[in-house]
Amino acid sequence: MLSNIRVVLINTFHPGNIGAAARAMKNMGLTNLYLVEPREFPSDEADARAAGAKDLLENATLVNSLEEAIADCQLVIGTSARTKRTFDLPLLNARKGAERIVAESKQGKVALVFGRETMGLHNDELQQCNLHIYIPANPDYPVLNVSQAIQLLCYEVYVAAEEKTYTEIEEEYPRQKEMGLFYNHLEKVLRTTEFIIPQHEGKVLDKLRRFFNRSRPERTELNMLRGILTSVEETVEKLKK
């Protein structure tokens, strides 16, 4: 199960934090590290902070976007010290979130996403996530160093896997790449039917993406939705003739 869990770091500024993250992961049996446009990598400082986990750095996957990092994942969890955002995602504390991560890792790949040291994840990045996880801490000062947060969450994941505190998941969920194709199809149909008007687009697409990411249709349900969209397209074509 742990081999299906990846830790994704976005725009990490201090290379030492990448090394510390690798060490924290290896302590807890996690090996898949994805780096989205790190400021400096490879780095001697990262190697030094990794200590005996340098192999994780050597095998780390470098990508240019979060979308690329999570394309083959069925569950994406964003991390943040803040529990209030301009939009809401299902919110789990570290322990419950770890149990969900382990349960779904039995079926497919899961991503645990960490943002920048100074500002965390942007809202557009959280919109690509299914859940939001936080570490309960002193409300007067809840901000943790990113490597500390990784250590705590990886520990919770390891404990959930070892003690089997998670609930089995039977549903089969689509991968993020499949969801991306669905969103493109949905946008195409909404524009074709003029539900979305270019001059007054508003935030319809953002809200629909948030809705489907939150509700998480199963793979069979997503196929049905794609079928409905295709049926609408075919009907519109017939009406044009």
Side-chain angles (χ1 to χ4, degrees):
M1 292 181 293
L2 296 181
S3 64
N4 274 338
I5 301 170
R6 70 184 55 163
V7 171
V8 181
L9 305 184
I10 298 179
N11 295 151
T12 307
F13 183 80
H14 297 289
N17 282 329
I18 297 175
R23 184 173 183 175
M25 290 170 61
K26 192 166 184 176
N27 286 156
M28 299 302 156
L30 300 175
T31 58
N32 295 318
L33 177 61
Y34 277 63
L35 303 175
V36 180
E37 294 190 320
R39 297 290 181 90
E40 183 183 343
F41 189 82
S43 161
D44 291 340
E45 184 179 355
D47 290 347
R49 291 285 299 278
K54 189 178 176 182
D55 56 317
L56 267 68
L57 299 183
E58 292 171 348
N59 294 313
T61 302
L62 272 67
V63 295
N64 296 318
S65 67
L66 175 58
E67 184 177 18
E68 185 179 352
I70 63 176
D72 59 342
C73 294
Q74 73 171 40
L75 175 66
V76 180
I77 297 184
T79 58
S80 176
R82 290 182 285 164
T83 58
K84 296 295 183 182
R85 290 275 181 168
T86 55
F87 62 92
D88 294 324
L89 284 170
L91 180 65
L92 297 175
N93 64 31
R95 187 148 300 170
K96 293 297 183 182
E99 291 173 354
R100 187 61 179 270
I101 288 169
V102 173
E104 294 215 21
S105 70
K106 294 184 71 174
Q107 289 187 339
K109 293 179 172 59
V110 177
L112 182 58
V113 185
F114 295 84
R116 303 147 189 85
E117 291 96 330
T118 54
M119 63 186 70
L121 293 171
H122 296 159
N123 280 343
D124 66 310
E125 292 160 349
L126 274 174
Q127 283 182 320
Q128 298 182 59
C129 301
N130 304 112
L131 301 173
H132 179 185
I133 195 171
Y134 72 100
I135 297 172
N138 177 4
D140 294 328
Y141 189 63
V143 181
L144 296 168
N145 174 273
V146 66
S147 62
Q148 294 174 320
I150 292 169
Q151 182 74 77
L152 288 169
L153 289 174
C154 289
Y155 166 77
E156 293 290 354
V157 166
Y158 183 79
V159 170
E162 284 289 297
E163 299 185 357
K164 297 181 172 59
T165 56
Y166 55 89
T167 301
E168 296 283 350
I169 301 291
E170 296 182 0
E171 298 85 357
E172 184 180 358
Y173 293 104
R175 308 303 181 245
Q176 292 302 307
K177 183 176 182 179
E178 295 171 271
M179 290 302 300
L181 293 173
F182 166 68
Y183 293 135
N184 291 339
H185 194 177
L186 178 62
E187 179 178 1
K188 179 184 175 183
V189 171
L190 293 180
R191 293 189 185 280
T192 297
T193 60
E194 297 185 352
F195 182 86
I196 295 178
I197 302 173
Q199 296 83 355
H200 305 284
E201 292 191 8
K203 295 185 178 180
V204 172
L205 292 172
D206 287 343
K207 290 181 177 180
L208 286 172
R209 178 184 289 269
R210 182 178 69 192
F211 169 74
F212 284 111
N213 275 355
R214 184 174 64 238
S215 59
R216 295 192 69 205
E218 298 170 19
R219 177 165 276 168
T220 54
E221 294 170 335
L222 185 68
N223 290 337
M224 290 175 59
L225 290 169
R226 292 294 300 271
I228 292 170
L229 294 176
T230 298
S231 178
V232 170
E233 287 178 310
E234 292 173 349
T235 300
V236 169
E237 285 300 315
K238 289 178 182 178
L239 292 174
K240 288 180 179 179
K241 295 179 179 178

